[in-house]
Structures are given as structure tokens and as C-alpha cells.
Amino acid sequence: LMNGDGSLSVYDAARQSFLVSRLPIPRSFRQFFSTVTVSPQGSFAAIVSASLFSRQISLFKTYDLIEQEFALPVATYTLPREKKGDMNVIFAQDEKTVFFAYGNTLHFLSTERQEQKELIIGGTLGSIVLTGSDRLAVLHEDAGAITIIDASHQRIVKTIEVESIPLQAIYNAIPQKLYVMHKESGNLSVIDPQIAARESNISVGKNPSSLAVNTQNGDIFVAHGTEGVASIIDKNNRVKTFDLDSLLGTGYFPFFFSFFPQLYFWQYF
């Protein structure tokens, strides 16, 4: 967790306790705005910072960051500030590459050496989703579209039109489908990333706000913003809606933790 004061906290969900409460991060590796992303196996942490003129991605070995008083990154990448677009980061499953979408470009950043490549996609890019094997899905913030990327060859496979600007997407490994959320319509688009084709729509109801997937049985969980309800979509695309505690009515986000397994909701104030 990246705290508001620029420090880092590390939480052990299995033990339900903090390993590190507030670890100070040197200012040279964090600027006006910082986020942290951890790799799938926990070996690396990427700290992404924003200043008035640039964006910086510092890659640390997680052990060094926690255990060493003055940890140094294995690589640092600095990119010019774009006029628009959020910063979106995700690690490859093998942890050898960081994918960084910003502006109209997808950057491929090595965790093994100071090496970067880029692919200009166009538009304003949003979040990135790993879709199994070597394919990525990149959402567009300014259009109803998703671009499928062949990550191994760093090329565009196809840009798929969807019904409206995609708010969020999640990959379900059991049916091997990508589920894309559209807030305005209350629908999810179902996409097969291997053939880069849109298959169907699922109506989930008013004001969908975030998604999570049960990695054990393939159920999709949908939170509905301030509606005080959530939905479950089973493997046959059947939708069931249930009420939540009224305390969650100000906005909440589901997270499925497969270790237990349990579904959590964290609330954003």
C-alpha cells in the first residue's frame, strides 16, 4: 500500500497483520503522486511517480525494499509527461517485463536490465489486463474500444469496438474470456482474446462500478457503486443480485482472495 505521506505499508493477508507499517521511500523515487504495483510472485515492486514534467517508474526487488534501509532500484525509467491519460502498470506473469500504458503508447520495460521498447496504439490508453498466454487487452479511455496486443512480438492484433467507453475489464481464466464493464448501459461485453472477437453482452443492472473474479469456480462479482447491491455472474452467464450492508452505499470495490478463499469489499471514501 502506498500511503498519502509517501511511505509504504506491507500487509500479510494470511496472517491479517502488517509486516511493515510505514516504510519511508526516498523522495528521489517518489514525486508529487505515487502508486505501487507488486509483481505476480511478489519478487518486484514498481513505484510510479508523477511530477510536473515527467513520469518515473522505479523497479525494486521487494526484499530489498523491505529489508534494506537504503534500497536501490534494479532499473528506473523516465518518460515525458503526456497531455492526457492515466498511468497504468501491470507485470507480465513471468515478471520479466512491466507493461506501462500512458498517453497513446504501451511501453515494455525490462526488470532484468535497463531496456525499454514501445508500441504506439493511438487514442488515450487506460488500464491493462493480462489475458493468458502472451496476450494483453488495453482499454481506451476516450473511445468505446479495446486493443488486443501480442506481447511476445509487441504488435497490435486487433482493436475491438464495444458499446461505450470501457470502465474496467477482468480476465476469467476458466472460460478464457475477457469481461468488460460499461457503466452507462449496465452491461458487460464478453470478449474472446485469443481470436480477438466480441461474443455477447450481459445485462447486470444499474451503475456497475467494479469487477472481481472467483479464480476457483469462475464466478464474476460486480459491485454497483452507490446502489447498495452486488451481482454474481455464473459460468452460464446467469446473473443473481444480492443486497449489501447499507454502510457500503458510498462506493465499494470487490476483491477475491483465493488463498482463503473469500470475497472482500474495500470502501473508498
Side-chain angles (χ1 to χ4, degrees), residues 39-44 90-99 109-112 130 133-134 151-152:
S39 62
Q41 307 304 319
S43 303
F44 295 94
I90 194 168
F91 280 84
Q93 197 64 39
D94 63 7
E95 301 188 328
K96 294 181 179 180
T97 305
V98 174
F99 306 109
L109 312 176
S110 173
T111 64
E112 299 178 308
L130 297 176
S133 64
D134 61 347
S152 297

Side-chain angles (χ1 to χ4, degrees), residues 4 13 31 61 85 97 108 121-122 171 186 198 212 222 236 246 250 259 261:
Q31 300 172 38
K61 290 185 177 180
T97 305
F108 302 80
I121 297 175
Y171 181 67
R198 178 181 172 185
V222 185
N236 297 313
S246 60
T250 57
F259 182 83

Side-chain angles (χ1 to χ4, degrees), residues 111-128:
T111 64
E112 299 178 308
R113 64 189 70 87
Q114 190 80 28
E115 179 181 281
Q116 70 181 84
K117 297 179 181 179
E118 62 182 37
L119 176 65
I120 297 175
I121 297 175
T124 303
L125 304 182
S127 59
I128 314 165

Side-chain angles (χ1 to χ4, degrees), residues 74-89:
V74 296
T76 297
Y77 300 93
T78 302
L79 304 171
R81 178 185 177 183
E82 299 288 346
K83 293 182 179 180
K84 58 182 179 178
D86 293 329
M87 301 177 293
N88 295 278
V89 177

